[in-house]
Amino acid sequence: MDYQDQFEFFRLKHSKSSKYKRSQSQSQSRSSPTPAHAAPNILFIGLDSVSHVHFIRSFPKSHQFLMQQLGAIEFFGHNKISVATQGNVLAMLTGCRLEKNSQIPELMPNARGDGRPEFCDLVWNKYKQQNYTVLRAEDDLGLNNEFFTVLRTQRHLPLTDEQISDYRWTPYIREMKRLNTAKANQFTFGCFDYQWVQHLLFERILNVAEAFGAPAASRHQHQQEPYFHFTWTATTAHDVIGYARYLDDPLYMTLTKLSAKQFLNNTILVLASDHGMAYGTYSRTNAGSIESRMPLLYFVFPEWFFKRFSKAIENMKTNTMRLTSAFDLHETLLDLADLRSITDQALETRERTRTWTSKMKKSRGQSLFLPVPVNRTCELAGIPDEWCICWTKSSIESPADYDDI
């Protein structure tokens, strides 16, 4: 019996700039402050169809480690803005929304209210301007193709794969599927011979950290720019509510290794989802209907971040009990591309100049580093009425006259 396997290797591209080179004397402790010139890495882990409650229920080891060991900030009022993955992810990454019953992003006036259309630009393009290396990995080729096809439909964003990111996982997964007979279809347990695709995805997170996130001294003084790594897993938890628990071990192992190897010293971790379980009998119950509207959202910051950006952290902790959406996550990611925007002084200035007028309503999202109003409505947050968690359901009786309609 022949055994065949495939492996992924990174061919490191030339450094774009030395602007963000980290000091070789960088601290080996999460509690020590980063050098003033160093920009943190951004690791975004997306878990498709996992609500906040479902995460607590099905990821006990990961949740405990996040809260007790990593000091994660956990959101309790995070509301989806669209029925499906595509619309919610689009809002996270571009700040735009899909029109109802359409695959075309809605072009709304921008936050300044000057009538000019906003460009649905990918959030990591701002990171590229700050000399970040951008990587992405999605285990579902269908989602990958659909999402970026939506962006390409805009004349404002004619993207090629090379323009979207510096490194992508798609060619590797496509080749794996070509060379192997997948043991399952889309949205089920996908295996390539003896390898589970989710293990490969979480292994890649560690490989990226090794290749791009290690201190300079450990990489022969060759320092890469900080990186933005976007990952999304959809092939396990999407259809069957009980399958999500199988992701707990690989996620927990990834978090513990990132922490043990001190990669989180200068990395901000964002753990998010698009929505809760949208299929099956549970999603049709009252509890399931609520869960489907409330995706998970966690932030993990290095300890030095709490000291340098105390007001930003204070505001974010307050916002954990406020109404938030994917548009807010997008604005927060934009702020993290330039930390000068969230210093105590900068936030005080932004708060003074911010006014909740009709112009502000059009912007939909606001950074989670700014205080979210306690009386915020779904309309202000850009959440359609049908997905607004603030509404309650009422039973009505259908008149007999309507039975034949």
Side-chain angles (χ1 to χ4, degrees):
M1 177 178 175
D2 293 333
Y3 175 77
Q4 185 179 22
D5 207 345
Q6 294 80 37
F7 302 93
E8 180 186 24
F9 298 94
F10 292 105
R11 175 182 291 178
L12 298 182
K13 300 178 181 180
H14 291 297
S15 175
K16 302 172 188 174
S17 169
S18 60
K19 181 178 180 180
Y20 286 106
K21 287 187 178 180
R22 297 176 181 81
S23 170
Q24 292 185 23
S25 61
Q26 181 177 7
S27 167
Q28 296 299 306
S29 169
R30 291 183 70 236
S31 62
S32 299
T34 184
H37 61 275
N41 305 310
I42 306 295
L43 172 57
F44 189 113
I45 301 178
L47 304 175
D48 200 297
S49 302
V50 179
S51 70
H52 178 212
V53 173
H54 193 25
F55 182 76
I56 297 173
R57 179 173 58 231
S58 299
F59 294 73
K61 292 195 293 187
S62 298
H63 181 261
Q64 184 179 34
F65 190 79
L66 280 167
M67 302 309 298
Q68 296 184 6
Q69 301 299 320
L70 298 183
I73 298 178
E74 179 181 25
F75 280 76
F76 294 86
H78 199 54
N79 203 133
K80 73 178 184 180
I81 60 96
S82 179
V83 62
T85 300
Q86 195 176 78
N88 291 292
V89 175
L90 185 77
M92 294 178 203
L93 297 186
T94 70
C96 295
R97 72 159 81 246
L98 290 177
E99 292 180 348
K100 291 183 178 180
N101 304 318
S102 173
Q103 298 298 303
I104 306 300
E106 178 185 16
L107 293 179
M108 296 183 66
N110 59 23
R112 290 170 295 187
D114 58 13
R116 290 182 297 172
E118 66 179 353
F119 293 90
C120 296
D121 200 8
L122 288 162
V123 65
W124 54 65
N125 283 339
K126 184 172 181 179
Y127 286 83
K128 284 185 177 182
Q129 294 172 5
Q130 303 293 334
N131 299 306
Y132 272 71
T133 297
V134 175
L135 309 95
R136 71 176 214 271
E138 306 91 15
D139 64 2
D140 176 17
L141 294 178
L143 171 65
N144 175 290
N145 294 334
E146 290 174 6
F147 175 71
F148 291 107
T149 297
V150 167
L151 296 180
R152 291 188 183 100
T153 59
Q154 293 189 101
R155 295 179 182 177
H156 301 301
L157 204 60
L159 296 173
T160 65
D161 281 342
E162 289 74 17
Q163 291 172 318
I164 292 174
S165 57
D166 299 306
Y167 298 86
R168 62 195 192 280
W169 208 41
T170 310
Y172 173 65
I173 289 297
R174 185 179 291 119
E175 186 67 6
M176 288 282 282
K177 286 193 172 185
R178 186 184 70 83
L179 295 174
N180 296 275
T181 302
K183 303 293 190 296
N185 294 322
Q186 185 183 28
F187 296 146
T188 55
F189 285 95
C191 295
F192 299 130
D193 285 337
Y194 300 100
Q195 299 194 77
W196 186 31
V197 66
Q198 271 66 39
H199 280 155
L200 296 174
L201 180 63
F202 285 110
E203 184 181 67
R204 188 192 199 249
I205 291 174
L206 294 171
N207 290 340
V208 167
E210 291 277 2
F212 298 93
S218 66
R219 288 191 278 124
H220 308 290
Q221 301 182 358
H222 175 69
Q223 180 63 51
Q224 295 290 313
E225 281 75 23
Y227 69 82
F228 185 111
H229 190 192
F230 176 80
T231 68
W232 195 269
T233 175
T235 57
T236 296
H238 189 276
D239 277 2
V240 182
I241 192 169
Y243 284 0
R245 69 181 186 272
Y246 295 111
L247 292 173
D248 188 24
D249 278 342
L251 176 59
Y252 170 73
M253 292 176 62
T254 300
L255 295 176
T256 56
K257 289 179 180 179
L258 287 172
S259 178
K261 294 185 177 182
Q262 301 172 354
F263 291 128
L264 297 179
N265 291 2
N266 200 35
T267 297
I268 295 172
L269 169 64
V270 183
L271 185 66
S273 184
D274 48 354
H275 52 71
M277 177 58 60
Y279 301 94
T281 56
Y282 181 69
S283 65
R284 295 190 289 272
T285 66
N286 287 335
S289 176
I290 293 173
E291 280 194 36
S292 72
R293 288 161 166 76
M294 303 192 72
L296 66 95
L297 179 61
Y298 294 80
F299 284 86
V300 175
F301 297 98
E303 290 185 16
W304 59 261
F305 194 95
F306 287 79
K307 299 175 183 178
R308 284 184 55 191
F309 304 100
S310 57
K311 186 173 182 62
I313 291 294
E314 179 185 352
N315 288 339
M316 177 172 281
K317 288 182 175 180
T318 299
N319 292 337
T320 60
M321 304 301 293
R322 305 282 170 85
L323 180 66
T324 60
S325 74
F327 295 124
D328 303 323
L329 176 53
H330 173 75
E331 295 297 326
T332 307
L333 291 173
L334 289 177
D335 271 351
L336 289 174
D338 187 354
L339 298 184
R340 292 172 298 181
S341 65
I342 59 171
T343 62
D344 290 359
Q345 182 178 1
L347 290 177
E348 290 173 2
T349 301
R350 292 169 68 179
E351 287 183 39
R352 285 198 305 268
T353 57
R354 184 178 61 168
T355 57
W356 290 96
T357 64
S358 58
K359 292 181 180 180
M360 286 300 298
K361 290 182 182 180
K362 296 177 180 179
S363 68
R364 298 186 297 273
Q366 70 151 79
S367 172
L368 296 172
F369 294 122
L370 290 168
V372 172
V374 68
N375 60 346
R376 192 186 200 191
T377 64
C378 284
E379 180 185 6
L380 284 174
I383 303 168
D385 284 346
E386 58 264 41
W387 312 125
C388 181
I389 199 62
C390 301
W391 293 101
T392 57
K393 289 185 176 181
S394 299
S395 298
I396 60 173
E397 293 188 11
S398 176
D401 293 344
Y402 294 172
D403 289 345
D404 294 333
I405 295 179

